[in-house]
Amino acid sequence: MSQPILECRNLKKYFDTPRGKLHAVDDVSFSIGAGKTLGIVGESGCGKSTLGRTILRLLPATSGEVLFQGKNILNCGKKESMALRREMQIVFQDPYASLDPRRTVFQTISEPLRFHKLYATPQEVEARTYELMKTVGLSERYAAMYPHEMDGGRRQRIGIARALSLNPKFVVCDEPVSALDVSIQAQVLNLLMDLQEQMGLTYLFITHNLSVVKHISDEIGVMYLGQMIERAPSAELFARPAHPYTKALLSAIPAPVLGRQGLESEALSGELASPVEPKPGCRFAPRCPYAGEGCAAQDCSLQEIAPGHYCACPMAGKL
């Protein structure tokens, strides 16, 4: 097993609201091995993107630790943070909103190279920029074009090239294909997987598309209202989901073959618990068909129910 390149320990991110603290990320812990992909799935608003941005310090953490290569990066000073930006990057969800409409493709990709002064001459910057364009499948003829002149797939390739320009070791992919057509999604996913193999990249891959996360991830974490409620190797999670919420998610995947049934559909009912000053107990209990009196009385933490398979449900293995 590879050594963890990134480890989160009891990471929390709360936001102030008029009604109290909104627990966007609440006591999340996990690790990612070097060169591996951890997929993060869950409904919209469960805290997936906030988790990724807090890890990268785009949002200040409320408490907890984020260890990158064994060092807690949440306490880094300005100089250390600048060096850290070279090691950790992000690919954003919307490839158009994440690009400066006033900059050409060449200017966008070369900007990090100039800002961090990685090359001594403009000729070296130019050579590296064209090399990055070739790496992500962009022809040099696009160098002088602007984002509005390109389709979504090429825009996302620009974002990927920009993220890779500083040779990072860890990349947060925040729903990088959700805004793209299905055919383009496959191209971008295959590109990300090829780049991972070539460059030894480590991914935190955030998505709500279960088919996508199964295709790219070594391990998958399921989030619900700010908490990670299940984590397991990809094949294990799809073969033996343990948490009722995970089962409901997987049952919603349509069977792609006529006459073949997937998991029995488990439609959820009940109201979502509030993430603002949440009450003790399982946050999924109001919607869980198996919830008992004890579920609403005490918090449920991740417990190992099989080798490498963790679940935060007292009914795990009994359903």
Side-chain angles (χ1 to χ4, degrees):
M1 183 178 178
S2 58
Q3 291 295 316
I5 190 173
L6 183 119
E7 187 176 359
C8 286
R9 296 179 181 174
N10 308 111
L11 185 63
K12 298 180 181 181
K13 174 58 184 175
Y14 298 166
F15 294 97
D16 290 318
T17 74
R19 295 188 294 132
K21 299 283 188 181
L22 188 153
H23 293 211
V25 175
D26 203 358
D27 205 25
V28 171
S29 299
F30 63 84
S31 61
I32 312 177
K36 300 296 183 180
T37 299
L38 172 65
I40 301 293
V41 298
E43 295 171 305
S44 296
C46 71
K48 305 185 300 293
S49 295
T50 302
L51 173 64
R53 293 171 188 236
T54 304
I55 289 172
L56 294 179
R57 300 180 64 200
L58 298 178
L59 295 171
T62 300
S63 66
E65 295 180 315
V66 176
L67 279 66
F68 181 69
Q69 297 181 321
K71 182 177 180 180
N72 185 11
I73 63 174
L74 298 185
N75 300 322
C76 289
K78 185 176 181 180
K79 186 176 181 180
E80 293 173 304
S81 297
M82 184 68 72
L84 194 65
R85 293 292 177 219
R86 302 181 187 180
E87 306 284 346
M88 307 173 74
Q89 285 290 315
I90 184 170
V91 178
F92 292 98
Q93 175 179 357
D94 188 339
Y96 188 63
S98 65
L99 300 175
D100 188 337
R102 298 166 297 181
R103 292 182 180 272
T104 64
V105 172
F106 183 90
Q107 291 170 333
T108 297
I109 298 174
S110 63
E111 182 181 19
L113 304 175
R114 298 192 304 270
F115 182 82
H116 287 271
K117 301 178 181 178
L118 297 185
Y119 296 94
T121 66
Q123 291 76 20
E124 290 177 309
V125 171
E126 180 178 349
R128 174 58 176 160
T129 301
Y130 285 126
E131 179 186 356
L132 286 163
M133 291 180 64
K134 182 179 179 180
T135 298
V136 300
L138 283 173
S139 172
E140 289 187 12
R141 64 189 176 91
Y142 295 117
M145 296 178 68
Y146 291 87
H148 73 272
E149 300 177 287
M150 312 183 78
D151 61 32
R154 291 191 177 94
R155 290 173 191 158
Q156 195 61 289
R157 290 173 189 268
I158 298 169
I160 294 170
R162 179 178 59 185
L164 297 180
S165 62
L166 301 177
N167 294 315
K169 296 178 180 177
F170 173 72
V171 180
V172 172
C173 299
D174 186 7
E175 302 200 39
V177 298
S178 64
L180 308 178
D181 293 338
V182 174
S183 60
I184 305 299
Q185 286 184 15
Q187 295 176 20
V188 173
L189 282 175
N190 290 332
L191 171 63
L192 288 170
M193 295 173 71
D194 290 342
L195 292 171
Q196 182 176 43
E197 185 176 350
Q198 295 168 16
M199 305 174 67
L201 296 169
T202 303
Y203 291 146
L204 180 71
F205 194 93
I206 298 166
T207 182
H208 59 261
N209 189 321
L210 292 164
S211 299
V212 166
V213 80
K214 181 180 181 181
H215 181 65
I216 197 171
S217 301
D218 298 291
E219 191 176 17
I220 298 173
V222 181
M223 289 190 67
Y224 186 80
L225 289 182
Q227 296 181 324
M228 190 168 290
I229 59 172
E230 188 165 5
R231 192 176 81 246
S234 179
E236 168 74 10
L237 188 84
F238 275 80
R240 286 172 288 276
H243 198 283
Y245 176 66
T246 307
K247 291 186 176 185
L249 284 180
L250 297 185
S251 73
I253 303 176
V257 180
L258 286 175
R260 180 180 173 185
Q261 297 296 320
L263 290 173
E264 184 178 350
S265 180
E266 298 187 18
L268 297 177
S269 59
E271 293 292 329
L272 279 167
S274 174
V276 178
E277 302 292 355
K279 298 177 181 179
C282 176
R283 296 179 188 176
F284 185 61
R287 303 173 72 192
C288 180
Y290 311 102
E293 293 182 3
C295 295
Q298 58 184 4
D299 290 328
C300 301
S301 59
L302 285 174
Q303 303 293 330
E304 190 169 19
I305 59 174
H309 192 159
Y310 299 84
C311 182
C313 177
M315 300 296 291
K318 304 175 185 178
L319 304 179

